[in-house]
Amino acid sequence: MNLGIKGRQALICASSKGLGRACAESLCREGVDITICARSPEVLAKTVTDIRRIGGGSVNSVACDVTTIEGQRALLAVCPEPDIVVNNAGGPPPGDFRDWGYDAWSAALNANMLTPIFIIKATLDGMIERKFGRIVNITSSAVKAPIDFLGLSNGARSGLTGFVAGLARQTACHNVTINSILPGPFQTDRLDQTLKALAEKEEKLVGKVRKDKIQTIPAKRFGKPSELGDLCAYLCSAQAGFITGQNIVIDGGMYPGTF
Ligand code: NAP
């Protein structure tokens, strides 16, 4: 299927590794001109080289912390009028809510709720004027089925989800859609860190925790980042203009509900 987005501009946040990178690869392959970002310039530079090899659209990069105002300004200076925005950032640490003070909550809310909202605020009206826009937020399956030790993530991402639910209905008439992808466990560095933290908490070997986790997934494997990247590219496609305000779970069947 030709997704009809060749030559569009895309801003993909937090994208030198993992799920953000997978979205960048899938969009670039479709001929989209992409701008990616991450804090570590070395990893980012290598990712730019790798994605350029794939071919398709052009690849720009900005080494910045997307959760800061300066980082957002730097990113928008390089890609001021994106047609496509993928909101993403590192996830908050696991733990017990009794240990989290104001600073921990503030960091989680900033990274996983306010940062995407500010990026949407800076880019949405241009999309509306140009009569095309696709915004995809990478959140978590935890929005639908909370994960007990990821309370900061459960809380902050639900705030973003609630905000976007209202906004997405106001923009659809301008061919600007806003949707969220809710990943279950995908094989990335973040997953390795989460499994390690769980192993420490439960005083088990990481290998055992990993095996046990896989058994809880109906697909009996972790997700491949490229599977999420391709879903993201479809949500950004010309054909997906009638999908807005949705929270799409991609988790190998883990969420047990009928709907
Ligand atoms: P990952 O493999 O650790 O990759 C994170 C990427 O984001 C890296 O490129 C990292 O580069 C960049 N990044 C992190 N913080 C940043 C910041 N403040 N500014 C700019 N770039 C930043 O993580 P992932 O698994 O792809 O996860 C992405 C998001 O999805 C996270 O919020 C995670 O919690 C969520 N999620 C993941 C899973 C999963 O199973 N993987 C499941 C549910 C939800 P630098 O470190 O160099 O900045």
Side-chain angles (χ1 to χ4, degrees), residues 7 16 33 88 113 131 169 220:
S16 68
D33 297 326
N88 185 34
M113 177 180 172
K131 294 274 171 216
R169 270 80 188 182
K220 301 293 176 217

Side-chain angles (χ1 to χ4, degrees), residues 13-20 37-41 43 64-67 88-92 112 138-141 153 157 182-191 193:
C13 303
S15 42
S16 68
K17 293 196 285 185
L19 304 180
C37 83
R39 292 163 303 179
S40 157
V43 181
C64 68
D65 182 340
V66 72
T67 66
N88 185 34
N112 300 113
I138 298 178
T139 64
S140 171
S141 61
S153 172
R157 296 186 199 278
L182 281 55
F186 274 76
Q187 186 49 66
T188 66
D189 288 3
R190 162 82 177 174
L191 179 78
Q193 287 156 16

Side-chain angles (χ1 to χ4, degrees), residues 8 80-85 119-135 171 174-176:
R8 296 279 184 196
E81 294 193 326
D83 307 300
I84 293 167
V85 165
I119 294 199
I120 292 172
K121 185 179 164 194
T123 56
L124 185 78
D125 286 341
M127 293 179 181
I128 289 174
E129 266 170 40
R130 296 188 300 278
K131 294 274 171 216
F132 181 92
R134 300 285 183 262
I135 298 171
T171 63
H174 304 287
N175 191 24
V176 177

Side-chain angles (χ1 to χ4, degrees), residues 151-198:
L152 288 170
S153 172
N154 299 338
R157 296 186 199 278
S158 296
L160 173 66
T161 306
F163 167 75
V164 156
L167 186 63
R169 270 80 188 182
Q170 298 166 45
T171 63
C173 61
H174 304 287
N175 191 24
V176 177
T177 67
I178 313 178
N179 293 290
S180 299
I181 295 180
L182 281 55
F186 274 76
Q187 186 49 66
T188 66
D189 288 3
R190 162 82 177 174
L191 179 78
D192 289 340
Q193 287 156 16
T194 309
L195 292 177
K196 193 163 165 261
L198 197 58

